[in-house]
Amino acid sequence: MNEYPVALPGARADTLMWAEPGEIEPAALDQLRNISKLPWVEKLRVMPDVHLGKGATVGSVIAMRDAVAPAAVGVDIGCGMAAVQTDLTMDDLPDSLAPLRAGIEQAVPVGFNAHNGVTDVLRKQWPLKREADRLFGSFDALRAPKIAEREGRMRVQCGSLGGGNHFIEVCADDDGSIWLMLHSGSRNIGNELARRHIETARTLEHNLGLPDRDLAVFLAGTDEMSAYLHDLYWAQDYARLNRAAMMALVKAVVVEHFPQVTFRSEVQCHHNYVAEETYDGVDVIVTRKGAIRAGSGDLGLIPGSMGTGSFVVRGLGNEQGLCSASHGAGRRMSRTKAKKTFTVDDLAAQTVGVECRKDRGVLDEIPGAYKDLQQVIDAQTTGPSPLVEVVARLTTLMCVKG
């Protein structure tokens, strides 16, 4: 049994970790210490999937007073997960899931691809249409500079997967029940909004003496912070809509293959986002970068990598951990190192039994490039201060990648 949380040596602000400092790369530890030295940081929590990130560490939860750091959210604003349990079981599935995978890849654009116009599910399915109308109709009110030129791309990318570690999966739980799961965010528009606001933050006078300019912040009561939060909350809603649209498209493909299927309630959670919360009587702005909210009873999704499965969890409302949990397994090596370390044969061996791509284009997503998911789960479900409890363990059967 672990003894988490542990303090981060050399940190200035109240910093607790659900991970062993000796198992984290030194650059990530330095990054965390830099974050803890920002004068606005009230508390810093570190999740077990922690690794080096741009500006702020992936797997960090930062509570600030009267300030927010855009890099502590990341450029894929609102990135997160969605999952739904079906009434299908393993016995209902055919020997090969290749036709189902092909159907999903045809219905949901992946990589840099987009729909030809706004996808039908956003034009015809209620309440998706209502939310799309609201978000698309408020695009002109976004405050980032020169963002109007991105409107067309924003519309056609809603309901698309993207690339990198984004995925769509068919999984089975330990009882043989079939689940649909996907991972994506706010696509190009979230990236464009984040980068524009980060550049603005870097120019502000109060940020000029920071140990890392990527940790530039906006201050409460300023026009810059108001503009950032306005655009960020819009992008978070867009990311949620993007996942909901994709899930609707995936469900439609599944219905084509299994006309008798029914679906249960959908689970959705962001893991790159901002929320205004209160701890110990102090109002703070919490940024979760590679972390999910794990308030009491909150359902969350913690995925692994291609072939390693995922977990459905329920939050325990641990305020010591800022009601948070990890967002996944977390990388243990960079994409570049993964491509140098592993071969296509390794990828095939590590994804045996999974209907998925097994080519060099997804080699950087090989399971061996990620931390051990079970160890990440154990770190936050056992010990004196657990963050979540496991609801279901999912085994990957099919995986779509960009």
Side-chain angles (χ1 to χ4, degrees):
M1 181 176 291
N2 67 64
E3 296 299 324
Y4 301 138
V6 297
L8 172 62
R12 182 174 299 170
D14 174 11
T15 303
L16 295 176
M17 308 175 65
W18 276 256
E20 287 294 337
E23 297 178 1
I24 302 170
E25 67 264 54
L29 292 174
D30 289 342
Q31 197 172 55
L32 290 166
R33 293 187 183 99
N34 283 339
I35 294 170
S36 77
K37 294 173 184 176
L38 295 177
W40 309 278
V41 174
E42 183 78 9
K43 298 175 186 289
L44 171 60
R45 298 295 181 259
V46 183
M47 300 296 105
D49 57 344
V50 59
H51 61 90
L52 186 69
K54 175 68 172 176
T57 321
V58 178
S60 63
V61 182
I62 308 169
M64 289 191 180
R65 297 182 69 171
D66 302 322
V68 63
V73 182
V75 296
D76 192 357
I77 298 171
C79 188
M81 300 290 302
V84 62
Q85 187 178 10
T86 77
D87 67 346
L88 298 173
T89 69
M90 287 287 290
D91 292 338
D92 295 314
L93 301 184
D95 292 338
S96 173
L97 292 177
L100 179 61
R101 177 186 153 208
I104 292 173
E105 289 173 337
Q106 184 174 10
V108 180
V110 301
F112 292 105
N113 296 320
H115 294 281
N116 293 319
V118 176
T119 180
D120 281 351
V121 297
L122 296 178
R123 294 190 296 111
K124 299 177 180 179
Q125 288 193 21
W126 193 267
L128 295 180
K129 180 183 184 304
R130 179 180 61 191
E131 181 66 357
D133 289 347
R134 182 184 73 84
L135 287 172
F136 296 174
S138 59
F139 183 87
D140 288 345
L142 294 176
R143 302 179 190 176
K146 299 181 180 178
I147 202 66
E149 62 197 41
R150 302 295 178 178
E151 181 175 4
R153 190 174 185 185
M154 174 274 297
R155 289 174 177 267
V156 298
Q157 280 195 330
C158 197
S160 66
L161 183 63
N165 60 1
H166 294 173
F167 64 78
I168 301 169
E169 289 187 348
V170 175
C171 308
D173 65 23
D174 288 343
D175 295 325
S177 181
I178 301 302
W179 292 66
L180 310 177
M181 177 178 282
L182 58 85
H183 171 210
S184 191
S186 52
R187 306 297 288 110
N188 177 257
I189 188 60
N191 183 297
E192 294 286 347
L193 289 169
R195 292 187 184 279
R196 282 163 168 76
H197 285 290
I198 288 172
E199 285 305 309
T200 297
R202 288 168 61 92
T203 67
L204 300 177
E205 185 175 356
H206 61 263
N207 291 318
L208 299 182
L210 294 179
D212 183 347
R213 291 284 298 283
D214 285 327
L215 291 175
V217 304
F218 293 120
L219 300 181
T222 63
D223 291 342
E224 292 88 356
M225 180 160 167
S226 176
Y228 173 65
L229 290 179
H230 173 274
D231 290 1
L232 173 131
Y233 291 140
W234 182 95
Q236 289 180 179
D237 287 347
Y238 178 91
R240 187 178 294 276
L241 177 64
N242 181 48
R243 291 192 293 272
M246 276 192 289
M247 187 61 79
L249 292 166
V250 172
K251 285 180 179 178
V253 175
V254 172
V255 168
E256 290 177 3
H257 288 256
F258 307 96
Q260 79 282 9
V261 68
T262 61
F263 304 98
R264 297 187 180 178
S265 298
E266 194 168 309
V267 180
Q268 274 249 26
C269 61
H270 293 317
H271 54 227
N272 285 0
Y273 77 109
V274 170
E276 297 173 40
E277 300 175 1
T278 302
Y279 294 97
D280 299 326
V282 178
D283 294 334
V284 289
I285 297 176
V286 178
T287 54
R288 292 183 174 91
K289 182 176 184 178
I292 61 173
R293 178 168 172 81
S296 181
D298 288 345
L299 288 176
L301 302 164
I302 301 178
S305 58
M306 298 171 66
T308 61
S310 301
F311 284 82
V312 183
V313 298
R314 182 181 292 110
L316 298 177
N318 185 336
E319 294 202 0
Q320 186 183 35
L322 298 181
C323 294
S324 301
S326 78
H327 84 310
R331 296 193 72 91
R332 69 181 184 90
M333 67 177 67
S334 69
R335 295 183 181 279
T336 299
K337 184 175 180 181
K339 290 178 179 178
K340 293 179 178 179
T341 303
F342 298 105
T343 67
V344 171
D345 288 342
D346 294 326
L347 177 61
Q350 292 183 29
T351 57
V352 168
V354 180
E355 171 57 44
C356 65
R357 288 177 59 185
K358 301 176 191 285
D359 57 82
R360 187 160 186 82
V362 293
L363 188 56
D364 54 350
E365 283 294 299
I366 190 171
Y370 285 83
K371 297 179 182 180
D372 184 281
L373 180 60
Q374 187 61 59
Q375 291 180 7
V376 169
I377 292 296
D378 290 345
Q380 54 197 321
T381 56
T382 64
S385 190
L387 305 174
V388 294
E389 62 184 5
V390 172
V391 175
R393 182 180 65 179
L394 306 182
T395 299
T396 307
L397 305 176
M398 184 217 76
C399 178
V400 170
K401 282 280 189 179

PDB file of all heavy atoms in Angstrom, residues 89-90 107 166 176 209 226 259 284 300 343 358 378:
ATOM      1  N   THR A  89     -23.086  -7.587 -25.569  1.00  0.00           N
ATOM      2  CA  THR A  89     -22.084  -8.335 -24.822  1.00  0.00           C
ATOM      3  C   THR A  89     -21.067  -8.914 -25.803  1.00  0.00           C
ATOM      4  O   THR A  89     -21.243  -8.861 -27.025  1.00  0.00           O
ATOM      5  CB  THR A  89     -22.714  -9.488 -24.026  1.00  0.00           C
ATOM      6  OG1 THR A  89     -23.191 -10.483 -24.934  1.00  0.00           O
ATOM      7  CG2 THR A  89     -23.863  -8.990 -23.155  1.00  0.00           C
ATOM      8  N   MET A  90     -20.019  -9.490 -25.269  1.00  0.00           N
ATOM      9  CA  MET A  90     -18.997 -10.105 -26.116  1.00  0.00           C
ATOM     10  C   MET A  90     -19.607 -11.156 -27.048  1.00  0.00           C
ATOM     11  O   MET A  90     -19.153 -11.325 -28.180  1.00  0.00           O
ATOM     12  CB  MET A  90     -17.927 -10.751 -25.234  1.00  0.00           C
ATOM     13  CG  MET A  90     -17.007  -9.769 -24.535  1.00  0.00           C
ATOM     14  SD  MET A  90     -15.834  -9.000 -25.677  1.00  0.00           S
ATOM     15  CE  MET A  90     -14.772 -10.388 -26.055  1.00  0.00           C
ATOM     16  N   ALA A 107     -17.323   7.472 -40.932  1.00  0.00           N
ATOM     17  CA  ALA A 107     -18.303   8.402 -40.374  1.00  0.00           C
ATOM     18  C   ALA A 107     -17.663   9.566 -39.629  1.00  0.00           C
ATOM     19  O   ALA A 107     -18.191  10.688 -39.632  1.00  0.00           O
ATOM     20  CB  ALA A 107     -19.250   7.659 -39.428  1.00  0.00           C
ATOM     21  N   HIS A 166      -5.588  11.048 -29.454  1.00  0.00           N
ATOM     22  CA  HIS A 166      -7.043  10.968 -29.540  1.00  0.00           C
ATOM     23  C   HIS A 166      -7.463   9.630 -30.150  1.00  0.00           C
ATOM     24  O   HIS A 166      -6.777   9.094 -31.018  1.00  0.00           O
ATOM     25  CB  HIS A 166      -7.591  12.129 -30.362  1.00  0.00           C
ATOM     26  CG  HIS A 166      -7.383  13.458 -29.699  1.00  0.00           C
ATOM     27  ND1 HIS A 166      -7.658  14.658 -30.309  1.00  0.00           N
ATOM     28  CD2 HIS A 166      -6.912  13.782 -28.461  1.00  0.00           C
ATOM     29  CE1 HIS A 166      -7.377  15.657 -29.486  1.00  0.00           C
ATOM     30  NE2 HIS A 166      -6.917  15.141 -28.368  1.00  0.00           N
ATOM     31  N   GLY A 176     -18.209  -8.555 -19.544  1.00  0.00           N
ATOM     32  CA  GLY A 176     -18.477  -8.796 -20.955  1.00  0.00           C
ATOM     33  C   GLY A 176     -19.384  -7.780 -21.609  1.00  0.00           C
ATOM     34  O   GLY A 176     -19.736  -7.920 -22.785  1.00  0.00           O
ATOM     35  N   GLY A 209       9.312  38.926 -15.068  1.00  0.00           N
ATOM     36  CA  GLY A 209      10.355  38.371 -14.213  1.00  0.00           C
ATOM     37  C   GLY A 209      10.118  36.934 -13.795  1.00  0.00           C
ATOM     38  O   GLY A 209      10.800  36.427 -12.893  1.00  0.00           O
ATOM     39  N   SER A 226     -10.564  38.633 -18.255  1.00  0.00           N
ATOM     40  CA  SER A 226     -11.964  38.511 -18.639  1.00  0.00           C
ATOM     41  C   SER A 226     -12.090  37.942 -20.045  1.00  0.00           C
ATOM     42  O   SER A 226     -12.914  37.053 -20.310  1.00  0.00           O
ATOM     43  CB  SER A 226     -12.659  39.869 -18.551  1.00  0.00           C
ATOM     44  OG  SER A 226     -13.987  39.790 -19.014  1.00  0.00           O
ATOM     45  N   PRO A 259     -28.624  -3.679 -35.087  1.00  0.00           N
ATOM     46  CA  PRO A 259     -29.881  -2.910 -35.047  1.00  0.00           C
ATOM     47  C   PRO A 259     -30.617  -2.993 -33.716  1.00  0.00           C
ATOM     48  O   PRO A 259     -31.386  -2.087 -33.377  1.00  0.00           O
ATOM     49  CB  PRO A 259     -30.708  -3.542 -36.175  1.00  0.00           C
ATOM     50  CG  PRO A 259     -29.687  -4.143 -37.098  1.00  0.00           C
ATOM     51  CD  PRO A 259     -28.593  -4.624 -36.216  1.00  0.00           C
ATOM     52  N   VAL A 284     -10.806  29.944  -5.364  1.00  0.00           N
ATOM     53  CA  VAL A 284      -9.629  29.793  -6.231  1.00  0.00           C
ATOM     54  C   VAL A 284     -10.071  29.455  -7.644  1.00  0.00           C
ATOM     55  O   VAL A 284     -11.183  28.982  -7.881  1.00  0.00           O
ATOM     56  CB  VAL A 284      -8.678  28.692  -5.706  1.00  0.00           C
ATOM     57  CG1 VAL A 284      -7.977  29.137  -4.436  1.00  0.00           C
ATOM     58  CG2 VAL A 284      -9.434  27.377  -5.484  1.00  0.00           C
ATOM     59  N   GLY A 300     -15.812   9.455 -13.807  1.00  0.00           N
ATOM     60  CA  GLY A 300     -14.710   9.887 -14.643  1.00  0.00           C
ATOM     61  C   GLY A 300     -14.172   8.733 -15.468  1.00  0.00           C
ATOM     62  O   GLY A 300     -14.509   7.562 -15.239  1.00  0.00           O
ATOM     63  N   THR A 343       9.623  -0.633 -32.878  1.00  0.00           N
ATOM     64  CA  THR A 343       9.428  -0.940 -34.298  1.00  0.00           C
ATOM     65  C   THR A 343       7.949  -1.248 -34.550  1.00  0.00           C
ATOM     66  O   THR A 343       7.163  -1.437 -33.621  1.00  0.00           O
ATOM     67  CB  THR A 343      10.261  -2.157 -34.718  1.00  0.00           C
ATOM     68  OG1 THR A 343       9.748  -3.325 -34.047  1.00  0.00           O
ATOM     69  CG2 THR A 343      11.728  -1.962 -34.359  1.00  0.00           C
ATOM     70  N   LYS A 358      -1.690  -0.663 -37.244  1.00  0.00           N
ATOM     71  CA  LYS A 358      -0.439  -1.218 -36.725  1.00  0.00           C
ATOM     72  C   LYS A 358       0.714  -0.786 -37.626  1.00  0.00           C
ATOM     73  O   LYS A 358       1.615  -1.568 -37.925  1.00  0.00           O
ATOM     74  CB  LYS A 358      -0.535  -2.742 -36.624  1.00  0.00           C
ATOM     75  CG  LYS A 358      -1.689  -3.226 -35.715  1.00  0.00           C
ATOM     76  CD  LYS A 358      -1.810  -4.733 -35.713  1.00  0.00           C
ATOM     77  CE  LYS A 358      -3.105  -5.183 -35.042  1.00  0.00           C
ATOM     78  NZ  LYS A 358      -3.077  -5.080 -33.583  1.00  0.00           N
ATOM     79  N   ASP A 378      -3.633   2.243  -9.074  1.00  0.00           N
ATOM     80  CA  ASP A 378      -3.351   1.860  -7.686  1.00  0.00           C
ATOM     81  C   ASP A 378      -2.923   3.065  -6.848  1.00  0.00           C
ATOM     82  O   ASP A 378      -3.285   3.175  -5.669  1.00  0.00           O
ATOM     83  CB  ASP A 378      -2.261   0.792  -7.637  1.00  0.00           C
ATOM     84  CG  ASP A 378      -2.727  -0.553  -8.179  1.00  0.00           C
ATOM     85  OD1 ASP A 378      -3.951  -0.742  -8.319  1.00  0.00           O
ATOM     86  OD2 ASP A 378      -1.853  -1.396  -8.475  1.00  0.00           O
TER      87      ASP A 378
END
